Amino acid sequence: MENRKGTGKTALITGASSGIGQELAKLFAQDGYNLVLVARSVETLHRLAEVFELNYGTEQVTVIEKDLSEEDAARDVYEQVQAKGITVDVLVNDAGVGLHGKFATETDWEAEKSMVNLNVLTTTLLTKLYLRDMVARNEGRVLNLASLVSITPFPLMAVYAATKAYVNSLTQSLVNELKGTNVTVTALMPNATDTDFFNKAGAADVVATDMVDDPVMVAKDGYEALMSGKPKVVPGGLVNKAYEVMAYVAPQETMAGMMRYTLTPKHEIAQKVREQRPTIWAVGLGLAAVAVSGIFLATRHRQAALAE
């Protein structure tokens, strides 16, 4: 591939060692950005840096090894970048983790606390520190990884969904606060994606793992929305848009039942099908009806938007 001339701008990406974060880093590299890559897997980041320099002519890749679930990790990253004299033009808060299990009896508090530190505190402080600089320059972009579950209940990953609801709410509030500036904030709201997320969350065999989206597609849609200054984006086609519409119009208990199904281990579903086939068929038909209604509403919403 032909090397591209650098833009002179820099994107800082957390969680860049794999999944959506890695695909986003690739897109920035292809567009000539310098990079600051932050993750615990420093060897992976150095290999990525070599690939970007070779394939895209990336002029500068700074690697920072950091466990972002640690207290004050965000401030430490910010100060390291400042000490190197790097101006961050785009911040991507991609790093995040989940945890599977019943909140009351199965999940571990220390793991949940670490997740809140990473998904909420680090994301918030990095956003605050870099937005302050961006507003002072009147230029910059922030992409925060939310999720479709930021607008739905998510039984068996209750704390994870709550952290993403926080990220989404924070992002949409900042969109309003930043009106009149050249600084934008975008929430990326993907459906389940084919990354190592479920495995790390202790949910490698749940139903959702059979319904995952391509991280390349998710990153591409997120990147385009970020560069267009959109407040949010739900990657993928009409089905994912329908899920978003359903989250706003369907009863919360209905959504909770649907979402819990996606986090149920596949062997449990198979057992229930054998034991309660008529009930399962009734539930399936009910979920299908809700899905069709969501697709219909999403289509109407899209047609109305195009007509405006």
Side-chain angles (χ1 to χ4, degrees):
M1 180 175 293
E2 181 180 350
N3 289 350
R4 301 190 179 193
K5 181 177 177 59
T7 63
K9 293 187 176 182
T10 299
L12 187 156
I13 305 165
T14 67
S17 59
S18 64
I20 299 170
Q22 184 177 121
E23 295 302 329
L24 283 165
K26 185 184 300 182
L27 292 171
F28 280 105
Q30 289 174 347
D31 273 355
Y33 277 77
N34 294 321
L35 301 171
V36 178
L37 306 179
V38 186
R40 289 181 297 180
S41 307
V42 66
E43 292 182 1
T44 301
L45 295 183
H46 281 300
R47 286 197 298 270
L48 280 176
E50 293 175 0
V51 170
F52 294 158
E53 290 165 358
L54 178 64
N55 290 352
Y56 311 124
T58 307
E59 295 178 352
Q60 182 179 2
V61 181
T62 301
V63 169
I64 296 179
E65 181 181 11
K66 192 67 183 177
D67 180 352
L68 293 172
S69 67
E70 295 176 350
E71 188 174 355
D72 284 333
R75 191 174 299 279
D76 182 55
V77 168
Y78 178 80
E79 290 176 351
Q80 286 191 52
V81 174
Q82 290 289 97
K84 297 178 185 295
I86 297 172
T87 297
V88 171
D89 301 280
V90 182
L91 169 66
V92 177
N93 286 307
D94 172 79
V97 294
L99 183 65
H100 182 266
K102 293 179 181 178
F103 176 77
T105 57
E106 294 178 354
T107 55
D108 175 70
W109 166 242
E110 291 302 319
E112 284 170 331
K113 183 171 69 172
S114 177
M115 176 168 57
V116 171
N117 283 341
L118 173 57
N119 295 6
V120 174
L121 297 182
T122 294
T123 294
T124 303
L125 184 51
L126 277 175
T127 301
K128 187 175 187 69
L129 292 170
Y130 281 110
L131 270 186
R132 180 185 60 190
D133 295 343
M134 291 175 183
V135 170
R137 299 192 308 268
N138 197 29
E139 183 181 23
R141 302 181 187 279
V142 177
L143 181 67
N144 287 331
L145 190 69
S147 168
L148 264 181
V149 304
S150 68
I151 54 174
T152 71
F154 206 34
L156 303 181
M157 278 197 186
V159 176
Y160 170 76
T163 66
K164 292 304 179 179
Y166 172 91
V167 170
N168 189 35
S169 178
L170 174 68
T171 301
Q172 300 313 316
S173 295
L174 295 178
V175 167
N176 179 272
E177 290 184 14
L178 293 166
K179 284 185 176 180
T181 74
N182 292 321
V183 181
T184 63
V185 185
T186 302
L188 176 56
M189 301 169 61
N191 205 339
T193 306
D194 188 11
T195 68
D196 203 32
F197 171 81
F198 287 104
N199 184 50
K200 290 180 178 177
D205 191 45
V206 299
V207 173
T209 59
D210 288 338
M211 305 182 292
V212 291
D213 287 334
D214 183 357
V216 174
M217 177 276 292
V218 171
K220 180 176 180 293
D221 284 3
Y223 187 80
E224 291 176 352
L226 170 70
M227 292 307 178
S228 299
K230 294 180 179 179
K232 67 175 183 178
V233 59
V234 176
L238 191 59
V239 171
N240 287 348
K241 306 300 189 296
Y243 280 131
E244 181 188 15
V245 173
M246 281 191 293
Y248 293 128
V249 301
Q252 289 289 285
E253 182 58 30
T254 299
M255 293 304 301
M258 287 181 60
M259 301 309 288
R260 177 163 183 168
Y261 171 81
T262 68
L263 286 182
T264 302
K266 286 179 255 186
H267 69 271
E268 291 185 16
I269 296 297
Q271 180 67 22
K272 288 180 180 178
V273 168
R274 288 192 294 269
E275 295 175 353
Q276 303 174 357
R277 190 173 297 274
T279 302
I280 293 297
W281 272 107
V283 172
L285 288 172
L287 295 179
V290 173
V292 170
S293 299
I295 292 173
F296 172 76
L297 290 169
T299 303
R300 290 289 300 273
H301 176 74
R302 183 180 181 184
Q303 290 172 341
L306 291 173
E308 290 180 354

